[in-house]
Amino acid sequence: DLFSQFHNFAHRQNYRRNKSVISRISVTLEEVLTGKTVDAEIAVPGNKKKIVELNIPAGVENGQQVKFKGMGDSSIEGVPAGDLIIHISVAMHDRFERNGPNLIYKQSVPAWDAMLGTELIVQKLDQHEIKVKVKPGTQPGTVLRCGAEGLPKVNSQSRGDLYIVISVDIPTELTDEEKIVI
């Protein structure tokens, strides 16, 4: 009827767009490396839920907000849908620490290897391995840099670095043979 049409028109005129919806998504460090597509269940006004497919870009930071235009509330007809704002939470990793796009990996080496030098095989976040030379006389706390082996920077082709922090495992007891060598 005419009255309801007028009421709906007047109601739409009071709104420029529907409300934005805020939600949270947790991602792993591996998903930060590659990006992630998720089906997220989003709460919208009126105690309703909707499923949306979201492409979380590679390189996102913990606490970063990612905005998806027009994917929020659409309960009021005739006005643009609100935005969907996703707060990103990046889970801690058991082997790597993150510093922006850079990854930090702590590697313990036996005292002999630190004194004489060695070659380490380090498994990167993507499960590929790289060889890293430890020079003779390496001291505890030495940092080895592997360029462009870290995380991607958001919306960029460049990557951070992988830093390997060396600790030296000094034995507390030596065998008689080891004492002779020293």
Side-chain angles (χ1 to χ4, degrees):
D1 71 337
L2 185 61
F3 179 73
S4 66
Q5 288 176 353
F6 176 75
H7 177 71
N8 287 341
F9 175 78
H11 188 67
R12 284 193 306 259
Q13 294 301 313
N14 290 334
Y15 294 94
R16 291 195 172 150
R17 65 182 308 153
N18 281 283
K19 294 181 181 180
S20 291
V21 175
I22 298 173
S23 189
R24 298 184 185 285
I25 289 182
S26 182
V27 296
T28 66
L29 204 52
E30 288 85 358
E31 292 166 335
V32 170
L33 178 67
T34 61
K36 179 179 183 180
T37 299
V38 295
D39 288 332
E41 184 177 70
I42 306 300
V44 293
N47 294 325
K48 296 179 183 176
K49 304 253 184 207
K50 70 177 181 178
I51 305 291
V52 294
E53 185 178 277
L54 306 174
N55 292 315
I56 306 298
V60 292
E61 297 274 348
N62 189 46
Q64 182 175 345
Q65 294 181 18
V66 180
K67 184 190 282 188
F68 297 90
K69 289 195 170 277
M71 294 184 75
D73 178 27
S74 60
S75 59
I76 301 171
E77 294 179 23
V79 296
D83 297 331
L84 172 59
I85 301 168
I86 299 292
H87 291 266
I88 304 294
S89 174
V90 180
M92 298 290 287
H93 197 274
D94 60 338
R95 293 185 309 134
F96 295 96
E97 292 178 32
R98 181 181 187 179
N99 184 1
N102 300 316
L103 291 175
I104 301 165
Y105 179 74
K106 295 179 181 176
Q107 176 69 50
S108 179
V109 297
W112 318 113
D113 289 342
M115 290 186 289
L116 302 172
T118 190
E119 187 173 82
L120 299 175
I121 296 179
V122 176
Q123 189 176 50
K124 301 185 308 178
L125 187 60
D126 65 4
Q127 304 304 312
H128 290 97
E129 295 178 340
I130 55 172
K131 293 180 182 179
V132 180
K133 287 211 175 269
V134 176
K135 294 180 181 178
T138 294
Q139 299 297 307
T142 297
V143 178
L144 307 174
R145 179 181 163 270
C146 302
E149 295 291 351
L151 297 171
K153 296 176 183 176
V154 177
N155 300 322
S156 172
Q157 296 297 320
S158 64
R159 293 177 64 137
D161 299 326
L162 170 62
Y163 293 97
I164 301 168
V165 181
I166 301 294
S167 64
V168 179
D169 185 18
I170 300 172
T172 55
E173 296 182 26
L174 298 175
T175 65
D176 290 336
E177 289 177 355
E178 291 170 331
K179 288 177 186 177
I180 292 171
V181 172
I182 295 176

